[in-house]
Amino acid sequence: CPSGRRIQKSHAFGLGLPRDPAARYAVILREPVAAIMSWYEMDTLTAPRDLDHHLPNKARLVDTPDTWRAFAVDRARFWSAFVLKWLTDPPENVRGFHYESLITDPAVVQEFFGFAFGNRYPMRVRHHLRELQQQAAERGGLRDKAAFRHDPAEAARLVLDAIDPRALALAGYAAAT
């Protein structure tokens, strides 16, 4: 990283990551229904998978309608707590970015890296980002929520009913969801 900067990635799953006034926090948010669908699919996969090295001791959930419903409500509450923690009156060193824009909009990528690195990031990073955006374009962009294994309309209702409306508004998804 330029100027001795260090980047640390965290999902802050325990919501315990403390804020350091000397650090910058790029908070990446994903549309909650798609995020929770994806999270559920990752946690219920039973076939050999590429992600096992990331979560070697994680017990897989058994996919049932009841498991999905409980998971959706629990993760929607977590999503709310995460957004409220990071985006309620954020200081100058915290900025939220939409995942959907990061994989489709080069201007948002520039803004993200300008915030994180002061626009001084290596050419290899720029090249890698162009590759990621190209891959997203080739696969048709973002998740097709209609293809979710459980009833997509019920899935959206479960998630959105469990999310704190303040979090949805702070994240900028109130009108888009």
Side-chain angles (χ1 to χ4, degrees):
C1 294
S3 322
R5 292 186 186 166
R6 184 172 64 105
I7 299 294
Q8 178 179 345
K9 178 183 177 235
S10 170
H11 285 99
F13 284 142
L15 298 173
L17 185 67
R19 288 189 188 176
D20 177 351
R24 290 185 191 173
Y25 297 93
V27 180
I28 300 174
L29 304 165
R30 187 171 180 186
E31 188 277 320
V33 176
I36 293 167
M37 286 176 170
S38 179
W39 197 351
Y40 182 77
E41 288 179 347
M42 184 176 72
D43 281 6
T44 58
L45 288 174
T46 56
R49 43 188 270 209
D50 294 334
L51 294 173
D52 278 340
H53 66 282
H54 292 294
L55 307 164
N57 298 316
K58 184 161 177 59
R60 304 290 181 250
L61 296 174
V62 176
D63 178 31
T64 69
D66 288 339
T67 300
W68 158 247
R69 287 182 193 103
F71 184 94
V73 169
D74 179 67
R75 294 318 187 272
R77 289 178 180 151
F78 171 85
W79 190 93
S80 294
F82 180 86
V83 169
L84 292 171
K85 172 187 176 174
W86 288 102
L87 298 183
T88 300
D89 299 320
E92 288 290 317
N93 67 335
V94 176
R95 188 172 308 162
F97 294 90
H98 288 163
Y99 167 83
E100 299 83 6
S101 297
L102 284 169
I103 66 168
T104 59
D105 186 343
V108 174
V109 172
Q110 284 290 119
E111 180 185 349
F112 173 82
F113 277 94
F115 173 74
F117 295 99
N119 288 320
R120 298 180 57 207
Y121 51 96
M123 186 58 78
R124 71 180 183 281
V125 172
R126 294 177 197 205
H127 177 71
H128 181 65
L129 286 168
R130 280 193 292 270
E131 287 177 356
L132 289 174
Q133 288 173 337
Q134 180 63 35
Q135 290 170 7
E138 288 171 0
R139 72 172 179 268
L142 302 169
R143 157 179 294 287
D144 177 8
K145 292 185 277 191
F148 186 58
R149 66 178 96 168
H150 295 283
D151 177 18
E154 180 193 21
R157 183 190 55 76
L158 278 169
V159 169
L160 295 174
D161 285 352
I163 286 180
D164 185 319
R166 296 172 303 154
L168 209 54
L170 278 171
Y173 287 112
T177 306

